[in-house]
Amino acid sequence: MADLRAIADSRPVRELAEAFAAAGHEFAIVGGPVRDALLGRSVTDLDFTTSARPEQTQRILDDLGTQTWDVGRDFGTIAAKVHGETVEITTYRAEVYRDDSRKPEVSYGDTIEGDLVRRDFTINALALMLPEMRLVDVSGGVEDLLAGRISTPGSAEASFTDDPLRMLRAARFASQLGFDVASETREAMVEFAERLDIISAERIRDELVKLLSAADPAPGLRLLVDTGLAERFLPELTALVATQDDHGRHKDVYEHSLTVLQQAIALEGERHPGEAPDTVLRLAALLHDIGKPATRRFERGGVTFHHHDIVGAKLVKKRLRALRFDNSTVKRVARLVELHLRFFGYSDQQWTDSAVRRYVRDAGEELERLHILTRADVTTRNRRKAERLEHAYDDIERRIDELAEAEELAAVRPELDGERIMAVLGVPPGPLVGRAYKYLLEVRLDEGPIGPEAAEERLREWAAKELA
């Protein structure tokens, strides 16, 4: 209770608790903050519940002189900033769900016990009543915290029928907390997987992003695949399970993809410590091989996946758009999937400077992510091969840095712009200028900087042949 007491004794929380008590209303910290404090995890968001109705809550906050705004008044929630701390305060609720919707018909409740029993999992059905510091646990949440178990306050069947999104939350908490899902809860996830179809793509997307933001998303992803939930919104991941990879016979592409995701997260932490989880990188790591099932061929006693990078990029665009990801995320993830094989082979035949420039040009803003993804994509058990690939990529990164320092590689472009091309050739804007620009870009990539005068001479030579 030490961490909970520290939270309760903080100025914003103490002031709120005293104000609600003075007005004759119950007030409590509820859900995730209580759970995380009991687990010794950091508490970043404060959620409160109260017996006060929204209009009464608003009056109390107005009397305190706090800034408030509606985040869901129809659901009884008012947000406020108290001494620099953003909080959400929700009236006790009792909810009824329709069979064809996850949106509840909300009615206000009268007791903290009634409010808690409707929540998704026992570990979230915990409240600390303030200012008296009384812990309320209506369904064995503390016991489940100690056991590392995820279960529902009532029957899992009723919980998931009411709100199917809770099934995805179970997978997220399994990864975030390292907990196991209780057998009856897991069985209900299998039975009611189809109920997920009534959930909006945006809500599913948000839960997927939260899961991928965990330190190790693999347990949650495995749960989604094993229960059939992934088939409802990410069938390409499930399709990887039975797809043997091209490295040998000891693993399937599914396990390889989870390993790549884990290794990418580790590298992300090493290279960018303290930064927020990189959703684009993690999506690319998870989905980089989804083109393999469609391209698998059995040839000469082996398995091939020719052009799975190109096919995979197209599948990624289609799936991420269906999940309502923004255009930038779709474009970036697809580009990484398309390029993830580009490096392999460098260790066998070192690239020319021209090839290195093209690698950087094609990666563009995704170069750093491509570095991480390519390194993470090495999952071979052959230590000698793994070390050879690691040294090869060390070498290509070194060469990129050297060329970048010498040539401003990140902004590779022809040494003559469109206006200068038109002036040298004496032509108006048109297709010829575009072709000339592409030619000069190839010269720049092949040979590096040659200077404006040499570029003009090369342009005249090209134009003489082009217009002959």
Side-chain angles (χ1 to χ4, degrees):
M1 295 284 285
D3 290 336
L4 279 174
R5 185 170 296 281
I7 295 171
D9 287 342
S10 66
R11 184 180 179 188
V13 176
R14 187 175 66 251
E15 187 171 297
L16 285 169
E18 291 172 351
F20 277 84
H25 301 294
E26 293 180 352
F27 186 76
I29 305 175
V30 69
V34 180
R35 177 199 70 221
D36 289 342
L38 290 174
L39 289 173
R41 292 163 54 91
S42 61
V43 176
T44 55
D45 298 313
L46 292 178
D47 295 327
F48 299 96
T49 188
T50 179
S51 59
R53 297 302 191 252
E55 61 276 9
Q56 295 171 320
T57 296
Q58 184 69 62
R59 283 198 295 271
I60 293 170
L61 294 173
D62 288 344
D63 289 343
L64 289 174
T66 61
Q67 175 189 355
T68 65
W69 59 95
D70 290 348
V71 294
R73 183 180 286 268
D74 291 342
F75 294 93
T77 301
I78 294 177
K81 180 158 287 194
V82 184
H83 297 298
E85 187 78 48
T86 299
V87 301
E88 291 188 2
I89 304 170
T90 302
T91 299
Y92 293 162
R93 294 190 299 195
E95 299 172 348
V96 177
Y97 290 82
R98 302 187 304 272
D99 288 344
D100 61 347
S101 174
R102 71 160 302 276
K103 294 182 179 180
E105 297 175 357
V106 176
S107 61
Y108 298 132
D110 298 317
T111 66
I112 184 62
E113 291 80 8
D115 180 88
L116 292 177
V117 77
R118 70 175 181 80
R119 292 178 180 262
D120 54 1
F121 304 110
T122 61
I123 58 175
N124 295 329
L126 298 167
L128 182 69
M129 304 302 295
L130 300 173
E132 63 267 37
M133 291 291 292
R134 176 171 61 89
L135 184 66
V136 181
D137 178 6
V138 297
S139 54
V142 172
E143 182 180 345
D144 282 346
L145 282 178
L146 293 173
R149 181 172 55 233
I150 298 171
S151 61
T152 55
S155 75
E157 174 182 350
S159 181
F160 297 155
T161 298
D162 282 349
D163 186 357
L165 192 67
R166 289 172 174 171
M167 295 184 286
L168 298 192
R169 286 169 60 82
R172 169 160 63 92
F173 288 129
S175 277
Q176 287 180 340
L177 303 177
F179 282 15
D180 294 323
V181 176
S183 58
E184 62 273 17
T185 304
R186 186 187 185 98
E187 290 168 4
M189 292 170 71
V190 175
E191 182 177 357
F192 295 99
E194 290 185 1
R195 284 281 293 168
L196 196 63
D197 294 349
I198 70 171
I199 305 295
S200 71
E202 290 83 359
R203 296 300 300 275
I204 292 174
R205 173 203 64 207
D206 291 347
E207 279 299 324
L208 176 61
V209 169
K210 290 175 183 177
L211 170 57
L212 290 176
S213 297
D216 182 10
L221 291 167
R222 284 196 175 92
L223 182 62
L224 293 177
V225 170
D226 293 345
T227 56
L229 285 162
E231 183 67 27
R232 314 307 304 184
F233 68 95
L234 196 59
E236 295 83 0
L237 180 61
T238 303
L240 296 179
V241 173
T243 307
Q244 184 186 32
D245 75 0
D246 53 345
H247 299 297
R249 294 166 293 280
H250 60 271
K251 61 189 175 185
D252 57 39
V253 182
Y254 169 66
E255 288 296 334
H256 166 74
S257 297
L258 294 181
T259 300
V260 172
L261 173 60
Q262 291 170 317
Q263 293 185 166
I265 290 172
L267 288 169
E268 176 189 338
E270 291 175 9
R271 291 192 172 212
H272 307 287
E275 295 187 13
D278 189 337
T279 300
V280 169
L281 173 65
R282 297 183 183 202
L283 283 168
L286 178 64
L287 303 177
H288 74 284
D289 274 348
I290 65 170
K292 282 190 171 181
T295 58
R296 181 172 60 167
R297 300 290 183 271
F298 296 94
E299 300 175 355
R300 295 184 294 277
V303 183
T304 64
F305 301 98
H306 297 310
H307 307 301
H308 78 267
D309 46 345
I310 306 301
V311 172
K314 293 178 180 178
L315 291 174
V316 160
K317 288 181 181 179
K318 181 178 179 180
R319 179 54 53 198
L320 295 188
R321 285 170 180 160
L323 287 171
R324 303 293 190 270
F325 278 92
D326 62 275
N327 289 335
S328 175
T329 297
V330 174
K331 181 179 178 181
R332 290 170 182 270
V333 176
R335 189 60 170 159
L336 287 168
V337 172
E338 182 180 354
L339 293 175
H340 82 272
L341 289 181
R342 183 72 65 86
F343 160 75
F344 294 97
Y346 176 87
S347 58
D348 298 322
Q349 183 176 1
Q350 195 176 65
W351 290 353
T352 62
D353 285 351
S354 174
V356 174
R357 293 187 191 101
R358 281 178 165 78
Y359 187 71
V360 174
R361 188 270 311 270
D362 291 346
E365 295 180 357
E366 306 313 308
L367 181 62
E368 171 61 12
R369 289 188 175 111
L370 186 58
H371 287 334
I372 295 175
L373 177 59
T374 301
R375 288 181 180 274
D377 198 19
V378 179
T379 62
T380 177
R381 294 179 182 179
N382 185 319
R383 180 177 296 181
R384 182 174 297 179
K385 180 178 180 181
E387 290 178 351
R388 176 169 56 82
L389 289 170
E390 181 179 3
H391 293 325
Y393 211 85
D394 288 343
D395 185 59
I396 194 174
E397 286 202 70
R398 176 189 58 77
R399 292 182 63 198
I400 287 172
D401 289 342
E402 290 175 354
L403 285 172
E405 184 176 355
E407 304 179 11
E408 297 183 6
L409 197 57
V412 170
R413 57 177 59 88
E415 293 180 88
L416 306 180
D417 60 18
E419 290 187 2
R420 187 57 187 163
I421 290 172
M422 288 186 287
V424 171
L425 298 182
V427 297
L432 179 64
V433 178
R435 295 200 302 274
Y437 187 92
K438 290 181 180 179
Y439 165 73
L440 290 175
L441 178 58
E442 291 299 313
V443 172
R444 173 70 172 80
L445 290 168
D446 285 337
E447 304 177 30
I450 62 174
E453 292 184 5
E456 289 184 12
E457 183 61 29
R458 297 286 285 275
L459 175 61
R460 293 188 182 93
E461 294 174 358
W462 172 86
K465 297 176 181 178
E466 186 75 8
L467 300 175

